[in-house]
């Protein structure tokens, strides 16, 4: 969570467009719909921001908008082969960005990039908080 807290502190709110935080019950519904547990740092992001544009890239969350809703996007990708343990949180540079929920350790899981046929999965950050912080460090 420390990485997430640092990311939240440096976030330039003038360069973001988030839908607004969501409730714990909405987060519970989303996890149930996907049959996963979200990492603590992603739950904090959902509570604080909900999802949306963070300096030019969309971070999927709970938005009720088809184009950036993590549940809708994940279910669509799962229908064509995305493994059940992955939750889609972005589509950057023609690559899926996902939470790898089967590798949960101390309430956190890695963020991975997945190629279009789901055959290659590469860890890009140990936690969602670290992923967000590294992205914001590059953008700001």
């Amino acid at each position: 969570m420390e990485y997430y807290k640092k990311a939240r502190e440096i976030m330039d709110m003038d360069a973001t467009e988030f839908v607004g935080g969501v409730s714990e019950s909405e987060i519970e519904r989303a996890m149930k719909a996907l049959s996963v547990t979200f990492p603590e740092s992603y739950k904090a992001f959902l509570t604080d921001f909900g999802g949306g544009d963070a300096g030019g890239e969309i971070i999927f969350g709970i938005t009720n908008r088809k184009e950036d809703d993590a549940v809708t996007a994940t279910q669509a990708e799962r229908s064509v082969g995305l493994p059940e343990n992955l939750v889609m949180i972005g589509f950057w540079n023609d690559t899926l960005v996902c939470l790898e929920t089967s590798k949960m350790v101390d309430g956190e899981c890695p963020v991975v990039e997945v190629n279009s046929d789901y055959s290659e999965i590469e860890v890009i950050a140990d936690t969602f908080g670290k992923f967000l912080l590294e992205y914001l460090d590059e953008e700001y």
Side-chain angles (χ1 to χ4, degrees):
M1 283 293 289
E2 196 61 37
Y3 288 116
Y4 174 75
K5 289 175 184 175
K6 287 179 185 175
R8 189 178 62 205
E9 287 173 15
I10 69 165
M11 197 172 298
D12 179 357
M13 295 312 289
D14 291 333
T16 62
E17 187 176 320
F18 293 118
V19 297
V22 299
S23 69
E24 190 173 315
S25 64
E26 289 173 290
I27 294 169
E28 290 294 326
R29 275 194 299 277
M31 291 190 301
K32 186 175 180 181
L34 296 174
S35 301
V36 299
T37 300
F38 294 151
E40 294 302 316
S41 57
Y42 186 63
K43 286 193 257 186
F45 171 79
L46 295 172
T47 300
D48 291 341
F49 304 109
D53 184 325
E57 294 290 354
I58 303 293
I59 299 175
F60 296 1
I62 299 173
T63 67
N64 297 318
R65 296 186 313 207
K66 197 176 196 177
E67 65 272 10
D68 59 7
D69 184 75
V71 174
T72 303
T74 300
Q75 289 172 332
E77 286 296 321
R78 284 181 178 174
S79 74
V80 293
L82 183 71
E84 295 289 318
N85 57 305
L86 299 178
V87 174
M88 194 167 156
I89 60 166
F91 186 72
W92 300 4
N93 303 319
D94 296 324
T95 304
L96 301 178
V97 178
C98 300
L99 299 170
E100 206 327 354
T101 63
S102 69
K103 303 217 188 257
M104 199 75 70
V105 176
D106 296 329
E108 294 293 338
C109 68
V111 176
V112 297
E113 287 184 341
V114 183
N115 69 345
S116 61
D117 69 359
Y118 317 118
S119 64
E120 295 178 32
I121 298 174
E122 178 185 347
V123 174
I124 57 172
D126 297 336
T127 68
F128 174 78
K130 189 172 184 180
F131 162 78
L132 185 61
L133 180 61
E134 289 172 352
Y135 167 68
L136 294 174
D137 274 346
E138 288 176 13
E139 289 304 303
Y140 301 144

